[in-house]
């Protein structure tokens, strides 16, 4: 069993920046990749960014590319999301996810590729 705990969410003005973190604990052996998703009430969970655990390859949705940066600290089993130039439409609950199957490499943008999720951290961008 793996536990994921997000932190760092909060209220920020449009154009501002925020950095959120996700720490993994428990059975983390075999971790292949981690990702950030976000969700607003009544909407589907949306892919934001992902990173491979070995090589650190990064992947982004078109809506955040150039503004957000995902990174990881393998020794700490922690993934980060640096969010710059925030917009009101970025407002959502941000969820961290961990993937352990080789299929992650082809399905990483889909929620179904992940078995473990964090509790979420609220990010609110005011206009």
């Amino acid at each position: 069993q793996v536990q994921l705990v997000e932190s760092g969410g909060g209220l920020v003005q449009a154009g501002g920046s925020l950095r959120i973190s996700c720490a993994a604990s428990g059975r983390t052996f075999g971790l292949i990749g981690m990702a950030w998703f976000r969700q607003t009430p009544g909407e589907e969970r949306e892919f934001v960014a992902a990173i491979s655990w070995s090589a650190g390859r990064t992947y982004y949705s078109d809506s955040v590319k150039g503004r957000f940066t995902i990174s990881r600290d393998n020794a700490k089993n922690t993934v980060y999301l640096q969010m710059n130039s925030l917009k009101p439409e970025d407002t959502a609950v941000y969820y961290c996810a961990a993937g352990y199957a080789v299929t992650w490499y082809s399905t990483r943008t889909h929620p179904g590729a992940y078995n473990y999720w964090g509790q979420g951290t609220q990010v609110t961008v005011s206009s």
Side-chain angles (χ1 to χ4, degrees), residues 36-100:
W36 288 97
F37 288 76
R38 64 189 183 187
Q39 188 170 29
T40 56
E43 302 292 331
E44 294 183 354
R45 192 159 294 189
E46 176 191 15
F47 171 77
V48 177
I51 186 167
S52 68
W53 214 244
S54 57
R57 295 284 298 273
T58 57
Y59 309 87
Y60 299 93
S61 68
D62 290 338
S63 62
V64 307
K65 193 174 299 181
R67 298 188 298 122
F68 291 9
T69 302
I70 188 171
S71 61
R72 90 277 193 248
D73 187 329
N74 300 64
K76 296 180 179 179
N77 289 325
T78 300
V79 65
Y80 307 92
L81 187 67
Q82 177 67 47
M83 301 178 286
N84 298 327
S85 301
L86 283 162
K87 305 174 181 179
E89 50 262 45
D90 294 319
T91 296
V93 177
Y94 283 71
Y95 295 92
C96 173
Y100 288 82

